[in-house]
mmCIF file of all heavy atoms in Angstrom:
data_model
loop_
_atom_site.group_PDB
_atom_site.id
_atom_site.type_symbol
_atom_site.label_atom_id
_atom_site.label_comp_id
_atom_site.label_asym_id
_atom_site.label_seq_id
_atom_site.Cartn_x
_atom_site.Cartn_y
_atom_site.Cartn_z
ATOM 1 N N GLY A 115 5.894 -3.707 12.806
ATOM 2 C CA GLY A 115 7.186 -3.988 13.398
ATOM 3 C C GLY A 115 8.291 -4.390 12.449
ATOM 4 O O GLY A 115 9.388 -3.899 12.566
ATOM 5 N N THR A 116 8.028 -5.275 11.506
ATOM 6 C CA THR A 116 9.111 -5.754 10.660
ATOM 7 C C THR A 116 8.805 -5.487 9.202
ATOM 8 O O THR A 116 7.675 -5.510 8.763
ATOM 9 C CB THR A 116 9.326 -7.268 10.832
ATOM 10 O OG1 THR A 116 8.131 -7.951 10.454
ATOM 11 C CG2 THR A 116 9.688 -7.620 12.262
ATOM 12 N N PHE A 117 9.857 -5.220 8.472
ATOM 13 C CA PHE A 117 9.782 -5.092 7.023
ATOM 14 C C PHE A 117 11.161 -5.451 6.524
ATOM 15 O O PHE A 117 12.144 -5.041 7.129
ATOM 16 C CB PHE A 117 9.421 -3.660 6.605
ATOM 17 C CG PHE A 117 8.777 -3.619 5.252
ATOM 18 C CD1 PHE A 117 7.411 -3.739 5.110
ATOM 19 C CD2 PHE A 117 9.551 -3.498 4.117
ATOM 20 C CE1 PHE A 117 6.826 -3.734 3.869
ATOM 21 C CE2 PHE A 117 8.987 -3.492 2.862
ATOM 22 C CZ PHE A 117 7.611 -3.600 2.742
ATOM 23 N N PRO A 118 11.312 -6.244 5.500
ATOM 24 C CA PRO A 118 10.282 -6.734 4.594
ATOM 25 C C PRO A 118 9.440 -7.833 5.229
ATOM 26 O O PRO A 118 9.859 -8.491 6.172
ATOM 27 C CB PRO A 118 11.074 -7.270 3.407
ATOM 28 C CG PRO A 118 12.407 -7.610 3.955
ATOM 29 C CD PRO A 118 12.646 -6.675 5.109
ATOM 30 N N LEU A 119 8.271 -8.014 4.684
ATOM 31 C CA LEU A 119 7.317 -8.986 5.192
ATOM 32 C C LEU A 119 7.455 -10.312 4.455
ATOM 33 O O LEU A 119 7.730 -10.342 3.262
ATOM 34 C CB LEU A 119 5.892 -8.471 4.991
ATOM 35 C CG LEU A 119 5.532 -7.172 5.696
ATOM 36 C CD1 LEU A 119 4.166 -6.683 5.232
ATOM 37 C CD2 LEU A 119 5.540 -7.359 7.201
ATOM 38 N N THR A 120 7.236 -11.389 5.195
ATOM 39 C CA THR A 120 7.111 -12.692 4.551
ATOM 40 C C THR A 120 5.716 -12.759 3.931
ATOM 41 O O THR A 120 4.828 -11.982 4.311
ATOM 42 C CB THR A 120 7.254 -13.834 5.582
ATOM 43 O OG1 THR A 120 6.143 -13.779 6.474
ATOM 44 C CG2 THR A 120 8.577 -13.733 6.340
ATOM 45 N N PRO A 121 5.470 -13.679 3.015
ATOM 46 C CA PRO A 121 4.110 -13.811 2.469
ATOM 47 C C PRO A 121 3.046 -14.041 3.547
ATOM 48 O O PRO A 121 1.958 -13.484 3.480
ATOM 49 C CB PRO A 121 4.233 -14.999 1.516
ATOM 50 C CG PRO A 121 5.649 -14.947 1.052
ATOM 51 C CD PRO A 121 6.422 -14.521 2.279
ATOM 52 N N GLU A 122 3.374 -14.829 4.561
ATOM 53 C CA GLU A 122 2.418 -15.081 5.632
ATOM 54 C C GLU A 122 2.159 -13.807 6.425
ATOM 55 O O GLU A 122 1.011 -13.509 6.784
ATOM 56 C CB GLU A 122 2.914 -16.198 6.563
ATOM 57 C CG GLU A 122 2.953 -17.563 5.905
ATOM 58 C CD GLU A 122 4.143 -17.751 4.950
ATOM 59 O OE1 GLU A 122 5.160 -17.017 5.061
ATOM 60 O OE2 GLU A 122 4.039 -18.628 4.082
ATOM 61 N N ASP A 123 3.216 -13.053 6.712
ATOM 62 C CA ASP A 123 3.058 -11.785 7.421
ATOM 63 C C ASP A 123 2.263 -10.785 6.580
ATOM 64 O O ASP A 123 1.470 -10.012 7.114
ATOM 65 C CB ASP A 123 4.417 -11.178 7.772
ATOM 66 C CG ASP A 123 5.151 -11.959 8.849
ATOM 67 O OD1 ASP A 123 4.496 -12.720 9.601
ATOM 68 O OD2 ASP A 123 6.389 -11.812 8.932
ATOM 69 N N ALA A 124 2.480 -10.795 5.272
ATOM 70 C CA ALA A 124 1.743 -9.901 4.383
ATOM 71 C C ALA A 124 0.256 -10.215 4.417
ATOM 72 O O ALA A 124 -0.586 -9.309 4.482
ATOM 73 C CB ALA A 124 2.277 -10.012 2.949
ATOM 74 N N LEU A 125 -0.081 -11.503 4.397
ATOM 75 C CA LEU A 125 -1.492 -11.905 4.490
ATOM 76 C C LEU A 125 -2.083 -11.507 5.840
ATOM 77 O O LEU A 125 -3.206 -10.999 5.904
ATOM 78 C CB LEU A 125 -1.632 -13.409 4.285
ATOM 79 C CG LEU A 125 -1.791 -13.868 2.854
ATOM 80 C CD1 LEU A 125 -1.682 -15.384 2.767
ATOM 81 C CD2 LEU A 125 -3.106 -13.396 2.269
ATOM 82 N N ASP A 126 -1.346 -11.724 6.916
ATOM 83 C CA ASP A 126 -1.844 -11.356 8.240
ATOM 84 C C ASP A 126 -2.058 -9.846 8.337
ATOM 85 O O ASP A 126 -3.054 -9.391 8.908
ATOM 86 C CB ASP A 126 -0.893 -11.835 9.334
ATOM 87 C CG ASP A 126 -0.961 -13.343 9.552
ATOM 88 O OD1 ASP A 126 -1.931 -13.981 9.074
ATOM 89 O OD2 ASP A 126 -0.040 -13.874 10.201
ATOM 90 N N LEU A 127 -1.133 -9.070 7.780
ATOM 91 C CA LEU A 127 -1.282 -7.620 7.780
ATOM 92 C C LEU A 127 -2.520 -7.218 6.975
ATOM 93 O O LEU A 127 -3.333 -6.409 7.436
ATOM 94 C CB LEU A 127 -0.037 -6.938 7.207
ATOM 95 C CG LEU A 127 -0.142 -5.417 7.028
ATOM 96 C CD1 LEU A 127 -0.398 -4.721 8.359
ATOM 97 C CD2 LEU A 127 1.123 -4.881 6.356
ATOM 98 N N ALA A 128 -2.675 -7.791 5.790
ATOM 99 C CA ALA A 128 -3.834 -7.466 4.956
ATOM 100 C C ALA A 128 -5.133 -7.854 5.662
ATOM 101 O O ALA A 128 -6.112 -7.102 5.637
ATOM 102 C CB ALA A 128 -3.722 -8.158 3.605
ATOM 103 N N LEU A 129 -5.160 -9.024 6.299
ATOM 104 C CA LEU A 129 -6.343 -9.449 7.053
ATOM 105 C C LEU A 129 -6.663 -8.466 8.176
ATOM 106 O O LEU A 129 -7.825 -8.093 8.382
ATOM 107 C CB LEU A 129 -6.146 -10.856 7.618
ATOM 108 C CG LEU A 129 -6.378 -12.003 6.644
ATOM 109 C CD1 LEU A 129 -5.722 -13.283 7.144
ATOM 110 C CD2 LEU A 129 -7.866 -12.214 6.420
ATOM 111 N N ALA A 130 -5.643 -8.049 8.900
ATOM 112 C CA ALA A 130 -5.861 -7.105 10.004
ATOM 113 C C ALA A 130 -6.371 -5.770 9.486
ATOM 114 O O ALA A 130 -7.305 -5.192 10.059
ATOM 115 C CB ALA A 130 -4.561 -6.917 10.791
ATOM 116 N N LEU A 131 -5.789 -5.271 8.399
ATOM 117 C CA LEU A 131 -6.224 -3.988 7.841
ATOM 118 C C LEU A 131 -7.656 -4.051 7.329
ATOM 119 O O LEU A 131 -8.450 -3.130 7.561
ATOM 120 C CB LEU A 131 -5.277 -3.538 6.727
ATOM 121 C CG LEU A 131 -3.874 -3.151 7.158
ATOM 122 C CD1 LEU A 131 -2.994 -2.875 5.943
ATOM 123 C CD2 LEU A 131 -3.906 -1.943 8.092
ATOM 124 N N GLU A 132 -7.987 -5.134 6.648
ATOM 125 C CA GLU A 132 -9.347 -5.260 6.117
ATOM 126 C C GLU A 132 -10.358 -5.494 7.243
ATOM 127 O O GLU A 132 -11.486 -5.004 7.174
ATOM 128 C CB GLU A 132 -9.407 -6.370 5.066
ATOM 129 C CG GLU A 132 -8.557 -6.096 3.833
ATOM 130 C CD GLU A 132 -8.953 -4.836 3.065
ATOM 131 O OE1 GLU A 132 -10.158 -4.585 2.907
ATOM 132 O OE2 GLU A 132 -8.053 -4.108 2.618
ATOM 133 N N ALA A 133 -9.959 -6.217 8.299
ATOM 134 C CA ALA A 133 -10.846 -6.397 9.451
ATOM 135 C C ALA A 133 -11.091 -5.059 10.142
ATOM 136 O O ALA A 133 -12.224 -4.737 10.526
ATOM 137 C CB ALA A 133 -10.254 -7.406 10.434
ATOM 138 N N ASP A 134 -10.038 -4.263 10.294
ATOM 139 C CA ASP A 134 -10.195 -2.929 10.873
ATOM 140 C C ASP A 134 -11.087 -2.056 9.999
ATOM 141 O O ASP A 134 -11.887 -1.268 10.505
ATOM 142 C CB ASP A 134 -8.837 -2.252 11.059
ATOM 143 C CG ASP A 134 -8.053 -2.793 12.245
ATOM 144 O OD1 ASP A 134 -8.603 -3.606 13.027
ATOM 145 O OD2 ASP A 134 -6.879 -2.403 12.393
ATOM 146 N N ALA A 135 -10.956 -2.173 8.674
ATOM 147 C CA ALA A 135 -11.790 -1.388 7.757
ATOM 148 C C ALA A 135 -13.256 -1.780 7.905
ATOM 149 O O ALA A 135 -14.135 -0.919 8.017
ATOM 150 C CB ALA A 135 -11.328 -1.592 6.316
ATOM 151 N N LEU A 136 -13.528 -3.077 7.923
ATOM 152 C CA LEU A 136 -14.897 -3.562 8.118
ATOM 153 C C LEU A 136 -15.450 -3.022 9.432
ATOM 154 O O LEU A 136 -16.561 -2.491 9.489
ATOM 155 C CB LEU A 136 -14.919 -5.091 8.103
ATOM 156 C CG LEU A 136 -16.226 -5.756 8.534
ATOM 157 C CD1 LEU A 136 -17.362 -5.419 7.591
ATOM 158 C CD2 LEU A 136 -16.025 -7.263 8.628
ATOM 159 N N ASP A 137 -14.675 -3.149 10.477
ATOM 160 C CA ASP A 137 -15.091 -2.699 11.798
ATOM 161 C C ASP A 137 -15.399 -1.201 11.803
ATOM 162 O O ASP A 137 -16.422 -0.775 12.341
ATOM 163 C CB ASP A 137 -13.994 -3.043 12.810
ATOM 164 C CG ASP A 137 -14.392 -2.737 14.233
ATOM 165 O OD1 ASP A 137 -15.414 -3.278 14.695
ATOM 166 O OD2 ASP A 137 -13.682 -1.942 14.883
ATOM 167 N N LEU A 138 -14.536 -0.390 11.217
ATOM 168 C CA LEU A 138 -14.745 1.059 11.211
ATOM 169 C C LEU A 138 -16.000 1.432 10.426
ATOM 170 O O LEU A 138 -16.815 2.229 10.892
ATOM 171 C CB LEU A 138 -13.532 1.795 10.646
ATOM 172 C CG LEU A 138 -13.692 3.326 10.570
ATOM 173 C CD1 LEU A 138 -13.950 3.933 11.951
ATOM 174 C CD2 LEU A 138 -12.464 3.951 9.917
ATOM 175 N N TYR A 139 -16.166 0.865 9.235
ATOM 176 C CA TYR A 139 -17.353 1.196 8.447
ATOM 177 C C TYR A 139 -18.634 0.800 9.194
ATOM 178 O O TYR A 139 -19.627 1.530 9.155
ATOM 179 C CB TYR A 139 -17.302 0.540 7.072
ATOM 180 C CG TYR A 139 -16.401 1.262 6.099
ATOM 181 C CD1 TYR A 139 -15.343 0.607 5.477
ATOM 182 C CD2 TYR A 139 -16.612 2.597 5.777
ATOM 183 C CE1 TYR A 139 -14.515 1.274 4.578
ATOM 184 C CE2 TYR A 139 -15.791 3.263 4.887
ATOM 185 C CZ TYR A 139 -14.741 2.602 4.289
ATOM 186 O OH TYR A 139 -13.931 3.257 3.395
ATOM 187 N N LEU A 140 -18.628 -0.343 9.880
ATOM 188 C CA LEU A 140 -19.811 -0.750 10.642
ATOM 189 C C LEU A 140 -20.060 0.176 11.830
ATOM 190 O O LEU A 140 -21.212 0.544 12.112
ATOM 191 C CB LEU A 140 -19.667 -2.200 11.116
ATOM 192 C CG LEU A 140 -19.765 -3.263 10.026
ATOM 193 C CD1 LEU A 140 -19.466 -4.647 10.602
ATOM 194 C CD2 LEU A 140 -21.123 -3.239 9.341
ATOM 195 N N ARG A 141 -18.993 0.561 12.534
ATOM 196 C CA ARG A 141 -19.168 1.486 13.661
ATOM 197 C C ARG A 141 -19.670 2.841 13.188
ATOM 198 O O ARG A 141 -20.538 3.451 13.823
ATOM 199 C CB ARG A 141 -17.863 1.646 14.446
ATOM 200 C CG ARG A 141 -17.570 0.452 15.325
ATOM 201 C CD ARG A 141 -16.318 0.603 16.187
ATOM 202 N NE ARG A 141 -15.132 0.487 15.343
ATOM 203 C CZ ARG A 141 -14.201 1.427 15.224
ATOM 204 N NH1 ARG A 141 -14.281 2.551 15.895
ATOM 205 N NH2 ARG A 141 -13.158 1.253 14.433
ATOM 206 N N MET A 142 -19.143 3.330 12.066
ATOM 207 C CA MET A 142 -19.610 4.619 11.549
ATOM 208 C C MET A 142 -21.065 4.517 11.102
ATOM 209 O O MET A 142 -21.854 5.440 11.329
ATOM 210 C CB MET A 142 -18.703 5.107 10.417
ATOM 211 C CG MET A 142 -17.328 5.523 10.908
ATOM 212 S SD MET A 142 -16.281 6.427 9.708
ATOM 213 C CE MET A 142 -16.264 5.361 8.303
ATOM 214 N N ALA A 143 -21.444 3.408 10.483
ATOM 215 C CA ALA A 143 -22.832 3.217 10.056
ATOM 216 C C ALA A 143 -23.762 3.222 11.266
ATOM 217 O O ALA A 143 -24.896 3.714 11.183
ATOM 218 C CB ALA A 143 -22.982 1.915 9.269
ATOM 219 N N TRP A 144 -23.302 2.683 12.371
ATOM 220 C CA TRP A 144 -24.114 2.572 13.564
ATOM 221 C C TRP A 144 -24.440 3.948 14.158
ATOM 222 O O TRP A 144 -25.531 4.154 14.697
ATOM 223 C CB TRP A 144 -23.376 1.716 14.594
ATOM 224 C CG TRP A 144 -24.141 1.496 15.855
ATOM 225 C CD1 TRP A 144 -23.962 2.159 17.047
ATOM 226 C CD2 TRP A 144 -25.197 0.567 16.076
ATOM 227 N NE1 TRP A 144 -24.838 1.693 17.981
ATOM 228 C CE2 TRP A 144 -25.621 0.705 17.409
ATOM 229 C CE3 TRP A 144 -25.826 -0.373 15.272
ATOM 230 C CZ2 TRP A 144 -26.634 -0.050 17.951
ATOM 231 C CZ3 TRP A 144 -26.842 -1.132 15.815
ATOM 232 C CH2 TRP A 144 -27.233 -0.971 17.139
ATOM 233 N N VAL A 145 -23.507 4.899 14.074
ATOM 234 C CA VAL A 145 -23.686 6.176 14.778
ATOM 235 C C VAL A 145 -24.253 7.295 13.904
ATOM 236 O O VAL A 145 -24.714 8.295 14.446
ATOM 237 C CB VAL A 145 -22.380 6.656 15.452
ATOM 238 C CG1 VAL A 145 -21.889 5.635 16.468
ATOM 239 C CG2 VAL A 145 -21.312 6.981 14.436
ATOM 240 N N VAL A 146 -24.218 7.168 12.592
ATOM 241 C CA VAL A 146 -24.713 8.270 11.757
ATOM 242 C C VAL A 146 -26.235 8.315 11.784
ATOM 243 O O VAL A 146 -26.901 7.296 11.932
ATOM 244 C CB VAL A 146 -24.214 8.182 10.293
ATOM 245 C CG1 VAL A 146 -22.711 8.283 10.235
ATOM 246 C CG2 VAL A 146 -24.716 6.936 9.607
ATOM 247 N N GLY A 147 -26.753 9.509 11.640
ATOM 248 C CA GLY A 147 -28.193 9.675 11.647
ATOM 249 C C GLY A 147 -28.823 9.603 10.269
ATOM 250 O O GLY A 147 -29.989 9.236 10.132
ATOM 251 N N ASP A 148 -28.067 9.922 9.241
ATOM 252 C CA ASP A 148 -28.607 9.969 7.882
ATOM 253 C C ASP A 148 -28.624 8.570 7.267
ATOM 254 O O ASP A 148 -27.599 7.885 7.233
ATOM 255 C CB ASP A 148 -27.745 10.928 7.045
ATOM 256 C CG ASP A 148 -28.277 11.114 5.651
ATOM 257 O OD1 ASP A 148 -28.001 10.237 4.801
ATOM 258 O OD2 ASP A 148 -28.967 12.117 5.405
ATOM 259 N N GLU A 149 -29.779 8.155 6.764
ATOM 260 C CA GLU A 149 -29.917 6.817 6.175
ATOM 261 C C GLU A 149 -29.060 6.653 4.920
ATOM 262 O O GLU A 149 -28.554 5.563 4.653
ATOM 263 C CB GLU A 149 -31.383 6.506 5.875
ATOM 264 C CG GLU A 149 -32.206 6.244 7.120
ATOM 265 C CD GLU A 149 -31.671 5.112 7.976
ATOM 266 O OE1 GLU A 149 -31.303 4.048 7.435
ATOM 267 O OE2 GLU A 149 -31.607 5.293 9.204
ATOM 268 N N GLY A 150 -28.915 7.717 4.129
ATOM 269 C CA GLY A 150 -28.060 7.640 2.943
ATOM 270 C C GLY A 150 -26.606 7.402 3.304
ATOM 271 O O GLY A 150 -25.917 6.605 2.667
ATOM 272 N N VAL A 151 -26.150 8.089 4.346
ATOM 273 C CA VAL A 151 -24.777 7.909 4.831
ATOM 274 C C VAL A 151 -24.614 6.491 5.373
ATOM 275 O O VAL A 151 -23.639 5.807 5.082
ATOM 276 C CB VAL A 151 -24.442 8.959 5.915
ATOM 277 C CG1 VAL A 151 -23.077 8.688 6.518
ATOM 278 C CG2 VAL A 151 -24.505 10.359 5.340
#
Side-chain angles (χ1 to χ4, degrees):
T116 61
F117 204 89
L119 299 171
T120 66
E122 292 76 21
D123 290 339
L125 272 170
D126 286 345
L127 174 60
L129 280 161
L131 292 174
E132 296 299 319
D134 284 353
L136 170 64
D137 186 58
L138 178 60
Y139 282 123
L140 289 174
R141 284 183 287 122
M142 290 192 306
W144 182 259
V145 300
V146 298
D148 184 279
E149 288 303 315
V151 174

